[in-house]
Each structure stands twice: as C-alpha cells, then as structure tokens.
Amino acid sequence: MAMNLLCNVQTCRKPLTSTLWVTSCSHSFCEDHAKTLSHKNIKCPACGTLLGKRFDVIRQNSNPAEEFKAMLLVGLRPEIVLDIAMRAVSFWNYQVEQELKYQANSANQLLETKEKASINQTTLMKQLALAKNTIAGNEKQINDQKSTIKFLKSALSHKDQQLKKMQHGLFHTKSKTQDIHVTNSETEDVHFRKENTHNAGKKKVFIFEPRISSQRNDL
C-alpha cells in the first residue's frame, strides 16, 4: 500500500492525496493550513524556520499527469536529475522518520496511559477491597446493634409487664383501702347517730322558775 504524506500540523494530520504545499525545511501542509504560507517572511508552522525566499514554499500535485512527468526533467544533465531526485528522496526520508518518531511517541504515551490505568486499576481494586471490608464491618455492627435492640425490646416488654402488674396490684390495694375507709366511715356514722339518739332520749328538761325576791316576801 502506497504511503501518503500527512499535513505536518499536529492537530490536523490530514492525508495529502492530491494538492499539497511543501517547504524548504522538508515539511508538508494541506490547503487549509497552507493559507498562512502565502505571505512573505513567515515561519514554518511545524518547526518555526523562517521561509522568506522565493522557492521556500511551493505548491505540488501528488498525482501529476503523465505528460508532466515526461517533460519535467527533460533536457537537464544527469547529475542535475540525480541531485533533484536525491533531494526529493531525502524529503521523503525525513517525512518517514518524523512519522516513525510520531508513532513511537504515540505508542509510548499509550503505554504510559496503560501503565497508569493499570496502577489506577490496582489502586481501585485495593480501594474496592477496603470498601468491601468496611461494608462487612458495618454490616456486623448493624447486626450487633439489631441484636442489642432486640434484647432491649424484650427487656422493656418484660419491665412493662411487671409495671402493669404493679399498677394492677396498686389499683386493687387502693380499692380495698377505699372500701375499708368507706366502711369505717359508715360505721362511725351509725355509731354517731345511735349516740345522738340515745342522748336525745336522756335529755333533761329545764323549767324556768322566776325568782321571787326576799323583799316581796317581807311585804
């Protein structure tokens, strides 16, 4: 499978399958990112090299017509043709090397991410195990508290029954005391009435007799 050049802007990396822009510092760009290369005294977006000369930036067709290829180097001396070819091959070698470095860097980043993910996974597993142990401990405490609550409810129910029995006994005792008091009161009342009746039968009648003075008797 033929390799295509890529736009050297890291955020783009679009495959250059037709028109592309190349620089004297061996970088290639797509049409969208080549718009900034149309001005004089500009810097390469990839490496920052100053591109101020006439042929520092040129537009190329990655799929030229056969007629163009047939006539492009015609008439040039062989050493010039070889020099041009060597420069073109050198451009490709640089692009391939940069792509390999990019892929290696991406692979290292993926490995680091994987290692971090593995470390995070190990940490998460430890945290999960700790959380499970904590949950198990909490469940044991909850069960213990349930047992304690059950015991307290049973003890409270027993105390409540004892209290009801005491209240029931107190109620009966109070009722008996009231009955005895009422009986004593009634007995005392009967004795009082009898005594009053008896005293009434024995009541003395006093007759008032006017006293005659001794002087009148003397008369």
Side-chain angles (χ1 to χ4, degrees), residues 137-156:
N138 291 337
E139 288 179 350
K140 185 178 182 303
Q141 290 181 357
I142 291 172
N143 291 331
D144 292 341
Q145 290 179 357
K146 285 182 178 180
S147 299
T148 303
I149 291 172
K150 184 177 180 181
F151 173 77
L152 291 175
K153 284 184 177 180
S154 177
L156 182 62

Side-chain angles (χ1 to χ4, degrees), residues 8 22-28 87 90-92 94-95 98:
N8 293 157
V22 294
T23 64
S24 59
C25 55
S26 299
H27 290 107
S28 57
R87 291 173 185 267
S90 177
F91 177 88
W92 268 91
Y94 177 79
Q95 286 291 314
Q98 294 301 309

Side-chain angles (χ1 to χ4, degrees), residues 1 18 20 83 92 101 129 181 187 210:
M1 183 178 179
S18 56
L20 65 151
D83 183 48
W92 268 91
K101 288 180 180 179
H181 180 72
T187 303

Side-chain angles (χ1 to χ4, degrees), residues 10-21:
Q10 295 297 321
T11 56
C12 179
R13 294 182 55 79
K14 182 188 298 182
L16 305 175
T17 57
S18 56
T19 302
L20 65 151
W21 292 77

Side-chain angles (χ1 to χ4, degrees), residues 112-161:
E112 290 177 359
T113 303
K114 183 179 179 181
E115 290 177 357
K116 290 180 180 179
S118 178
I119 294 173
N120 291 335
Q121 184 178 4
T122 303
T123 304
L124 289 175
M125 292 298 293
K126 291 180 179 179
Q127 292 178 351
L128 181 61
L130 180 62
K132 287 182 178 180
N133 292 333
T134 302
I135 291 172
N138 291 337
E139 288 179 350
K140 185 178 182 303
Q141 290 181 357
I142 291 172
N143 291 331
D144 292 341
Q145 290 179 357
K146 285 182 178 180
S147 299
T148 303
I149 291 172
K150 184 177 180 181
F151 173 77
L152 291 175
K153 284 184 177 180
S154 177
L156 182 62
S157 177
H158 180 68
K159 293 293 183 181
D160 185 63
Q161 291 178 359

